[in-house]
Amino acid sequence: MNSTSKKSASNDMLKRLAQPNTWLLALVAVVVPNLIFLLATPYFLVYRLVSPPLYFLAAMISLWLRPPFVYVLFGLVAIIDLSLVVAVMFYLPLATAFHTIRYLASIDVAASAFYIGAISLFLFNALGTAWLVNRHRKALCAASPLPAAILAAALPVADGYVNRSYVKQPASHFESAMALNGLDAESITKRGRNLLIVIVEGLGSFSDPGMKALLASKFESAAVKAGYSVLSGRSNFEGSTTSAESRELCGRWGNFTDYLRAEQYDCLPRQLAERGFATISYHGYSSEMFDRDVWYPRIGIKESHFLDDLARDRQLFPSRCGSVFNGLCDGEVGDAVHLRLLAKSAQPMIVYWLTLNSHIPYVAKPGGQLHCRTNEAVIKNQRVCELTEIWAEVFDKISEIAADPKLPSTDILVVGDHTTPLWEKRAAVAFTRGKVDWYFLQTRQSAQTQLTNLSRP
């Protein structure tokens, strides 16, 4: 190609880039499907690092499809978009997120106005874009895709930059509340006491020490009445709730899919069962959720109690709590845990309780102890305040268990699973990225370990 031809081709390219059709394509394929989320960025956390290129790609493919199929394609992209947002917000690795799709039938999405609104927004946004593509198909076919492609690639970069202070980075090293407090099979056996482990749904690490002290104060009566030494700290987390179970019960990063491949795993419950401990668990939701009925026995939990069997006792469990994850109320499950610890046993026990009611979307407690919907609210951000009320109920129940004079000698470890997935930025800053708080109530006999078991700041 001679210089004249090159110059002519360059001029043709510039003319094509300057055409209104080219910028119409950028508007329809990139700006429109992302505009609502761009406008929300200063106030809300919606991680959509893959979504802008997906919508651009869908728009380009749509130019070759019949109009009805364009709506189908954009509907699928909306589902992928929403699924990726949820996976990131709930700390689910991509492979695990796709694995969990089959559990959707176990939850009641329609029970949450927030979820219904979010699904409607994503679908309306995608189908509106599909309508524009069909309406302007002829003009878009004649457009240069270059500006739209550049913009689609630039938006994720800008999103990552703007939200970088909110994004959790991978943990630098493995850490667990169990390990930080020297709780392994050998030390637990030597102590000769029961151990209650409570993993609290969504309890991250408060940025404000005063907020953390608010929950820690719940244990003061137990410390005075029953002679407990109360330690607290924070540790790293990775992944979602089942990752926290792997962290604390098996001493490694992982999630439930890692315990579905074999019949036995060398986790703490199994190690203690081999040493003569009764290994027991309680959770107020379905045993089939995340296959807990399959892998709990494989890590050594011999006696498990879930919604499936606990709900039969209407006297002990008269209520239901939650919306999307509608199950037993944490307070009532705590009563069952309390009774189990009081039951006479020839064996020492390790009892594991996974809470439920603070799962997002949560149901706020009417007339809660922190007065969250009044001018006297103890915590100013309503979301953080309402969640703390739910956690406070769990802490009250644990304190009640610890202070019971009939309770056999029992150490109690309370730890969050992961930072709460909060969409509102002003709520999210109430927690330290990548950390969860823990509290350890130990009998006075082991109080000398207090200074050596605190977590890193």
Side-chain angles (χ1 to χ4, degrees), residues 180-451:
L180 289 168
N181 287 284
L183 295 172
D184 56 23
E186 184 177 353
S187 69
I188 294 167
T189 303
K190 285 181 179 179
R191 290 168 188 252
R193 296 187 288 276
N194 295 335
L195 176 63
L196 170 60
I197 302 171
V198 185
I199 293 184
V200 182
E201 169 61 45
L203 176 62
S205 180
F206 284 107
S207 303
D208 181 353
M211 292 185 187
K212 182 173 182 177
L214 189 151
L215 289 180
S217 67
K218 299 291 182 180
F219 297 141
E220 289 177 1
S221 63
V224 173
K225 293 178 182 178
Y228 278 98
S229 173
V230 182
L231 314 178
S232 67
R234 61 185 185 181
S235 63
N236 294 331
F237 81 87
E238 282 292 328
S240 60
T241 301
T242 65
S243 300
E245 295 181 280
S246 176
R247 183 188 75 222
E248 301 299 340
L249 299 180
C250 294
R252 68 182 183 94
W253 297 135
N255 60 61
F256 74 100
T257 60
D258 296 312
Y259 302 100
L260 300 175
R261 301 167 187 157
E263 291 302 316
Q264 293 189 6
Y265 294 88
D266 188 31
C267 294
L268 180 68
R270 181 167 302 283
Q271 294 167 6
L272 290 174
E274 291 171 352
R275 289 168 165 81
F277 277 70
T279 53
I280 306 153
S281 73
Y282 285 85
H283 182 45
Y285 203 62
S286 169
S287 62
E288 296 179 358
M289 190 67 180
F290 299 128
D291 290 317
R292 288 188 172 97
D293 56 341
V294 175
W295 64 273
Y296 272 21
R298 293 182 180 182
I299 67 170
I301 298 176
K302 303 295 186 182
E303 177 190 325
S304 291
H305 299 281
F306 296 98
L307 171 66
D308 320 52
D309 62 292
L310 294 174
R312 298 190 192 113
D313 187 344
R314 297 297 295 183
Q315 184 174 357
L316 188 58
F317 301 99
S319 310
R320 294 295 178 270
C321 291
S323 59
V324 172
F325 292 90
N326 186 259
L328 301 178
C329 299
D330 286 336
E332 293 171 5
V333 176
D335 288 335
V337 170
H338 192 172
L339 289 173
R340 188 66 181 86
L341 286 165
L342 291 176
K344 291 183 179 180
S345 174
Q347 301 172 278
M349 289 184 280
I350 172 174
V351 179
Y352 165 52
W353 172 22
L354 174 63
T355 73
L356 174 68
N357 302 155
S358 46
H359 198 293
I360 301 294
Y362 63 87
V363 175
K365 292 193 167 297
Q369 55 186 283
L370 302 183
H371 314 292
C372 296
R373 300 196 177 189
T374 71
N375 293 332
E376 290 78 36
V378 176
I379 298 174
K380 295 308 177 185
N381 184 275
Q382 183 178 319
R383 301 287 176 266
V384 178
C385 186
E386 290 174 343
L387 277 167
T388 305
E389 281 187 329
I390 299 173
W391 295 326
E393 181 186 48
V394 171
F395 277 59
D396 282 335
K397 186 59 61 177
I398 295 168
S399 182
E400 179 184 318
I401 293 171
D404 188 340
K406 298 178 183 178
L407 185 75
S409 185
T410 303
D411 290 331
I412 303 173
L413 179 73
V414 184
V415 61
D417 55 355
H418 53 72
T419 297
T420 308
L422 291 167
W423 306 89
E424 184 187 352
K425 287 186 175 180
R426 281 190 287 186
V429 296
F431 300 92
T432 301
R433 290 180 296 155
K435 296 288 185 180
V436 290
D437 283 337
W438 58 258
Y439 305 80
F440 185 38
L441 284 70
Q442 61 178 341
T443 56
R444 293 291 185 186
Q445 293 95 318
S446 54
Q448 65 270 19
T449 62
Q450 177 173 354
L451 296 179

